[in-house]
Every structure is written in C-alpha cells, then in structure tokens.
Amino acid sequence: MPVIKKQGKQVYADDSPLRSLPVQAVRGNIVIFHSPNETFLPAGFTLAFFMDSEESAQAMKDGKLPYKMVPNRARFSFSSAPITDVWKKANDKGQESILGVVQGIVDANEIYVDKMTVRPGYKRHTINSKLIQALQSNFPDRPTNFSGPTKDGSKFIKSFTGSDWKPAHGEQAEY
C-alpha cells in the first residue's frame, strides 16, 4: 500500500497523485472503527481515519497509535472551530500519521456523517471522498447523510454528491 506524502502543494501516494487513485488503491491506509452496540459510545458510533501509510493504519488497528476524535463545539465558546482546532491541539505520538477523520453514526438505515476534517496541507486531495467511499463500501445499500456543514463542508458535499446539502435530521448549516 502506498505511503502518503506531501511535496510542495501536491499530495502523493508513492509516485502517483493521491487524487488520481481510486479508494481501492489506498484501502490499506484507511481504518474504520464501528461500535454496533451501545457501550460508553452510542450504538453505531463510527470513526474512519485516513493514515499516511499501511504501517500506521495497522498500528492504529492494533491499538499502538492513539486515535483522534473531533470534539463537540464548546458550549459557551463561539470562537472555537472543532474541525480545525483538532489539528492544533497537542498531539500524542503517532497522531501526525492521521491525515483525515470522519465521525458519525452508521445504523441499519443510513451512514450519518456528523464531522469530517482533513489535516491542513492535505485538503482538496480526495481524502474525505475516499473515507466516505470506504464507509459506503463497508455499509452498502445505506444512504449517506451529512450533519450541518461549514461553508467548506457544503462545497465538499456538493462536489461529492452532485447536489446541495439538505438537512436530514433537522440540522442547520454551521455558517
């Protein structure tokens, strides 16, 4: 499986531009955790990570690398932006190998993407698309819905789905 690296403004999977590769070519770089039953997490809670290498992905699967979760917006802070702040916080060893995160719920009815974010410098190189495609292949025949997106999230959803974002659960966009 390819090693993902940034050269200038381009992101490569070995010697090929990442955006030119299908998700199957980088499937070994993707880690999906899914909690089908309620534990300390809600039933269906799902995290998908895009890692910089298959070795990093395997280390995360083996519990040797910590994962990243996007926190909820601070209750009284309107200046926080969790999907960007997550990359600014002090990282545990190994978290630099995480290039993208998708967080949500997958149940019998849908794939519900609550949060998605890509490490700065790696955006616009199809990392979110590949994570969503991996979820769709793991959980086929379920529609994909998105929570209230940011402006950038709305642009991604339109380019990914071909249509504007529509609230699935009464959400509003986070403009």
Side-chain angles (χ1 to χ4, degrees), residues 110-113 143-149 164-173:
E110 70 179 341
I111 299 168
Y112 181 70
V113 177
T144 303
N145 291 305
F146 298 87
S147 69
D164 289 325
W165 172 77
K166 293 174 185 63
H169 298 279
E171 303 92 352
Q172 294 185 1

Side-chain angles (χ1 to χ4, degrees), residues 28 31 51 53-65:
V31 179
M51 306 299 289
S53 67
E54 185 176 12
E55 292 77 20
S56 296
Q58 190 59 52
M60 180 175 273
K61 288 176 191 175
D62 294 341
K64 296 176 183 172
L65 288 181

Side-chain angles (χ1 to χ4, degrees), residues 116 124 126-130 132 146 150-163:
M116 57 186 173
R124 304 195 194 295
T126 69
I127 289 174
N128 268 341
S129 296
K130 287 173 175 49
I132 302 292
F146 298 87
T150 62
K151 288 180 184 178
D152 286 343
S154 291
K155 290 176 190 174
F156 166 79
I157 292 167
K158 186 168 187 163
S159 71
F160 185 77
T161 66
S163 62

Side-chain angles (χ1 to χ4, degrees), residues 9-28:
K9 292 186 177 190
Q10 295 301 316
V11 175
Y12 292 92
D14 290 335
D15 296 327
S16 299
L18 178 60
R19 67 177 35 166
S20 71
L21 297 176
V23 68
Q24 295 84 359
V26 294
R27 191 65 171 104

Side-chain angles (χ1 to χ4, degrees), residues 74-149:
R75 188 178 294 188
F76 299 106
S77 173
F78 295 105
S79 64
S80 72
I83 62 171
T84 54
D85 288 351
V86 69
W87 303 112
K88 296 176 187 174
K89 306 236 185 260
N91 289 326
D92 290 330
K93 184 172 173 52
Q95 284 191 336
E96 69 277 357
S97 296
I98 301 171
L99 304 180
V101 179
V102 169
Q103 232 170 266
I105 301 287
V106 177
D107 61 22
N109 300 316
E110 70 179 341
I111 299 168
Y112 181 70
V113 177
D114 185 37
K115 296 178 179 86
M116 57 186 173
T117 183
V118 174
R119 184 176 290 281
Y122 291 85
K123 294 179 180 186
R124 304 195 194 295
H125 292 279
T126 69
I127 289 174
N128 268 341
S129 296
K130 287 173 175 49
L131 286 170
I132 302 292
Q133 290 167 355
L135 285 169
Q136 291 171 330
S137 70
N138 275 26
F139 304 99
D141 303 322
R142 293 178 182 132
T144 303
N145 291 305
F146 298 87
S147 69

